[in-house]
Every structure is written in C-alpha cells, then in structure tokens.
Amino acid sequence: MKSKSPGVNTICTHVGELKDEQYKGAISPLYMSSSYAYEDVDVKRYPRYFNTPNQEGLSKKIAALEHCEAGLIFGSGMAAISHSMLAFLEKGDHVVVQKTIYGGAFNFMVEEFPKYGIEFDFTDGFSEADFRNKIKPNTKVIYVETPSNPLMLITDLEMISRLAKEHGLVSMIDNTFASPVNQIPADFGIDVVLHSATKYLGGHSDLCAGAVAASEEHIQKIWNVGKNLGGSLSDYTVWLLERSMKTLGIRVKAHNRNAKKIAKWLDKHDLVSQVYYPGLKSHPDHSLAKKQMKGYTGMLSFELIPAVTPEKFMASLKMIKQSMSLAGVESTILSPAKTSHALLSPEERERQGISDRLLRFSVGIEDKNDLIADLKQALETVVTDQMQNTVV
Ligand SMILES: *Cc1c(COP(=O)(O)O)cnc(C)c1O
C-alpha cells in the first residue's frame, strides 16, 4: 500500500528534524561545526556545500512542503534567485520574465545579466499570448512571480508550465507571497520554486534567508553554481528558520483569514477607493486564484480616496507599523512608491499601475477586531484633521 504523505502541519513540525541521540532532546540539535571528518564518511560536509546536518534537514522540510524531490537553503531570497538563474543560463541565452516582479530580482537581471551576455525580455502583460510573444529560439528560462507585488495579480501556473514544456524551457516561480501553504507550483508542473524565507517561512521579521525546491537533477545544477558563488546560510539561522517553520501552516492560515476579513471591510469603506486582494470576487483574477491557490495570503493593497492623505493616515495608525518588508506575525504597512518601487521612474510606476496613493498592507495574525479598530480610528483621525484644516 502506498503510504499517504503527511499533512502540511505535520511536515512543518517534523519532516527533516534531526534526532538528538546523545541526550534524547525533543527538538533538532544545532550543529555549528564548520569542520567535519573526511575519512570513512559518506559525505564531506562543509557549510558552503549546503550539507551540514541542519542545512540538510531543513532542505528536506522545504522540499516536502513544495512537493519536490529536493531543496537548498540560501543566505537570502536574492541568493536563491540569482544562484538558480545562473545555474540554467549562460552567454547567449535568453529569459522571458513576467512584467512585474520583485524589485531586487528586477535589478539583478537589469544590472547583472548584461555582464554575462544573458538576454531577457519582460512581458507586456500576464496572458498566454504575452508570454508566448517573447519566447525566442535562444530562450532557456521562463520566470514568474504570483501573486505579484503589490497589486496581487495572478499568473496562470498551468499555462506557464505548458508553455515551458512546449519550448523545452525551465520554468521558475518566486513563491514568496503565496507560501507553500497556499500554493504548490510543482503540482502544476513548474520546475523551480523559489522563496525569500525572510518572509512567510521565517515569519517573525527576525532573519534573512532564501530557499529553492526542485527535482534532484535541477537541484544538483543549482548546487554546482551555489558552491562556487557561496550563498549558503549560517547554521544558527538555519536552526532558527526550522523553528519558525514549525508554525508556518497555522500562521499562514491566520494571515489568510485576517486579510480576507480586512479586505472586505476596506472594500466597503467610503474613504477607500480600491482594494487589491485576490480573495475578493471583484479582483480581476479571482477565479484563477481560486483554481490554483488554497488561500489568498495575508498580503493586500488599497487606495484611499484623493481627499485623504495616505501619509497622514499611516502616521495615525497606532498598532499597525509603518515598516518595510512583509509577512511577519505583526501587521505592517508601506507606500510602494516610496519603498519597494522607489527606484522606478514615475512613468514606469504608472505603467505598472502603482500610484503614489497605493498602500501595501501585510496583514499580521493579531485579532482582526483590533486591526479593524486601528484602521477605523486612523481613518477617522485623518478625516477630522483634514476637515478642520479646510475650515481654518
Ligand atoms: C523579499 C523578497 C525577495 C528577496 O528576498 P531577500 O530575502 O530580501 O533577499 C524576493 N522575492 C519576493 C517576492 C520578496 O518579497
């Protein structure tokens, strides 16, 4: 009989854990050694080879969560992205890249690829034709990110996988926003799954890490580049990330629940002109999101009506912090135009649909009533202040 694979919370809690044979402690011991025996051993272990006991254990957990054969842990999300890209590309090759992607990945391609003679094209949109139009005879990789930051647009994973197979391309996805709790790209045939583990996998805004999951064969290729570029993660942080990931399943479900409630609340508010959340029926990609995701994440964006100054609104929040980054247990809010997308020209931001009024909200796991109360009092405060100013 085929054994049934464990559920997501069991994978989070147990897969890849190390046994404490000496003292029989309940959790994985932390092996900080950077020097291991080399005679009579099956593996020569060294931190930069991604194969210390803690690194190997955590890689198994990530691979299991992503329904992949193997995984690797990196020093940052960008290390996972850059090493994986360079593993499948060489001089003269071409990459098709989704129109909007994480700013750091955009900068990596624009600033580094020309030095290696690697070509790339961004798509004009998210449809099959938009991707197909950019494929050239020398295309090797197709790169997507869904849901995308900050408008939460959805790319059809089944379509990307089909295009990749048709043209013999390696398909890659940045799965950071969804997390494996909400979206398992390998189930749709995507080859390489990337994460900034700094976000949901870590989840407590206290570490920087990256991860990749793929087939044994693809991971071997990425490892070959990884040992040369040296982007591995320190064992202490690996251990901390393992601890954090034990609660990934329950955390992400709490983020999903809160974000859906708050998206609905904001959507009904008179001072809010637009809410971008794939869990809302009004979102243009709702049905696609429903097809390929199990939950809609804790990320959403919204715009206030022009009469309300976004900066004043954010400054009036008491619990929700104005802060960069995302996906921690605490709620944070930011202006993409001033942070993640500040390096783009105003014209490029406009092309991507990112107005100066847009706010990106990383909904935490606090009680939803407290979050709504904070949003409510901040909206009331700005409106009262602004009305008084007008009268005076
Ligand atoms: C943060 C982030 C990254 C980069 O990760 P780092 O850990 O900061 O290197 C990549 N993709 C997405 C979607 C992100 O949010």
Side-chain angles (χ1 to χ4, degrees):
M1 206 178 80
K2 200 170 158 245
S3 68
K4 206 166 166 285
S5 75
V8 60
N9 289 317
T10 309
I11 297 176
C12 286
T13 318
H14 291 300
V15 171
E17 67 191 337
L18 306 178
K19 296 239 176 322
D20 175 4
E21 300 290 358
Q22 200 171 3
Y23 299 108
K24 316 286 183 206
I27 63 149
S28 298
L30 165 57
Y31 294 96
M32 285 297 287
S33 192
S34 60
S35 175
Y36 287 87
Y38 62 92
E39 290 283 13
D40 303 323
V41 292
D42 44 359
V43 207
K44 290 195 178 64
R45 298 186 191 275
Y46 184 61
R48 187 169 41 78
Y49 294 166
F50 300 83
N51 64 4
T52 61
N54 292 89
Q55 288 172 338
E56 271 189 3
L58 186 58
S59 298
K60 285 183 191 148
K61 195 191 295 293
I62 284 168
L65 283 169
E66 288 290 3
H67 296 184
C68 288
E69 287 171 1
L72 288 175
I73 314 299
F74 289 87
S76 68
M78 278 315 303
I81 293 169
S82 58
H83 288 50
S84 299
M85 284 257 175
L86 294 175
F88 295 97
L89 293 165
E90 56 185 49
K91 193 173 163 190
D93 288 346
H94 174 257
V95 196
V96 174
V97 188
Q98 175 181 306
K99 179 183 174 185
T100 46
I101 54 163
Y102 176 73
F106 177 91
N107 291 341
F108 165 64
M109 293 176 210
V110 172
E111 292 173 17
E112 305 302 327
F113 278 5
K115 299 181 195 166
Y116 292 87
I118 298 167
E119 301 167 20
F120 54 94
D121 275 305
F122 289 96
T123 62
D124 298 322
F126 294 74
S127 75
E128 173 160 355
D130 288 321
F131 281 93
R132 197 179 278 283
N133 287 342
K134 300 291 177 186
I135 297 174
K136 304 203 297 190
N138 58 338
T139 305
K140 294 285 159 60
V141 166
I142 188 162
Y143 184 94
V144 303
E145 179 182 321
T146 179
S148 70
N149 178 23
L151 296 178
M152 304 297 288
L153 299 171
I154 310 291
T155 309
D156 186 338
L157 293 179
E158 184 277 326
M159 174 273 282
I160 294 295
S161 154
R162 184 162 38 77
L163 271 187
K165 291 199 167 59
E166 203 179 293
H167 293 86
L169 317 177
V170 175
S171 51
M172 290 192 191
I173 182 177
D174 182 334
N175 205 29
T176 301
F177 266 43
S179 91
V181 180
N182 285 328
Q183 176 168 277
I184 303 188
D187 287 354
F188 297 88
I190 301 293
D191 298 309
V192 177
V193 184
L194 300 154
H195 280 283
S196 168
T198 315
K199 314 298 165 56
Y200 282 117
L201 303 190
H204 296 72
S205 309
D206 58 5
L207 59 81
C208 180
V212 56
S215 66
E216 292 277 7
E217 190 190 335
H218 284 149
I219 289 293
Q220 186 60 45
K221 284 212 164 115
I222 298 167
W223 183 85
N224 284 339
V225 169
K227 71 175 193 319
N228 295 334
L229 295 183
S232 64
L233 183 63
S234 111
D235 278 299
Y236 179 71
T237 313
V238 170
W239 181 86
L240 198 54
L241 179 57
E242 186 211 346
R243 189 185 73 160
S244 305
M245 285 183 62
K246 291 181 190 185
T247 55
L248 178 70
I250 56 170
R251 274 192 282 115
V252 169
K253 278 170 204 156
H255 285 290
N256 289 345
R257 251 192 329 270
N258 273 354
K260 198 167 179 180
K261 293 258 164 57
I262 286 167
K264 284 184 178 162
W265 185 85
L266 287 168
D267 204 33
K268 287 203 199 99
H269 204 288
D270 291 344
L271 301 179
V272 177
S273 55
Q274 184 82 42
V275 180
Y276 303 88
Y277 186 65
L280 289 180
K281 291 204 177 70
S282 56
H283 190 280
D285 299 329
H286 175 67
S287 58
L288 181 55
K290 200 169 169 184
K291 189 183 120 203
Q292 66 188 28
M293 299 178 77
K294 294 174 202 169
Y296 303 107
T297 87
M299 301 302 302
L300 61 88
S301 294
F302 62 99
E303 275 168 39
L304 298 170
I305 59 166
V308 184
T309 316
E311 288 74 22
K312 286 195 179 145
F313 161 71
M314 287 196 286
S316 307
L317 291 164
K318 289 183 176 150
M319 180 171 69
I320 301 162
K321 293 188 176 78
Q322 272 194 75
S323 181
M324 300 244 277
S325 202
L326 58 115
V329 290
E330 68 290 331
S331 291
T332 57
I333 195 162
L334 58 72
S335 154
K338 288 199 175 157
T339 56
S340 53
H341 295 71
L343 294 179
L344 301 182
S345 64
E347 296 74 35
E348 179 59 24
R349 277 201 296 273
E350 179 156 343
R351 194 182 73 82
Q352 297 195 14
I354 299 161
S355 79
D356 288 351
R357 317 191 52 74
L358 187 75
L359 300 179
R360 192 194 70 191
F361 188 7
S362 171
V363 181
I365 65 164
E366 301 94 337
D367 290 283
K368 74 162 194 302
N369 292 341
D370 296 329
L371 289 171
I372 289 176
D374 196 18
L375 293 167
K376 192 160 178 267
Q377 68 76 24
L379 284 168
E380 279 161 8
T381 310
V382 260
V383 167
T384 318
D385 284 1
Q386 288 185 208
M387 276 181 0
Q388 277 168 354
N389 288 343
T390 331
V391 174
V392 172

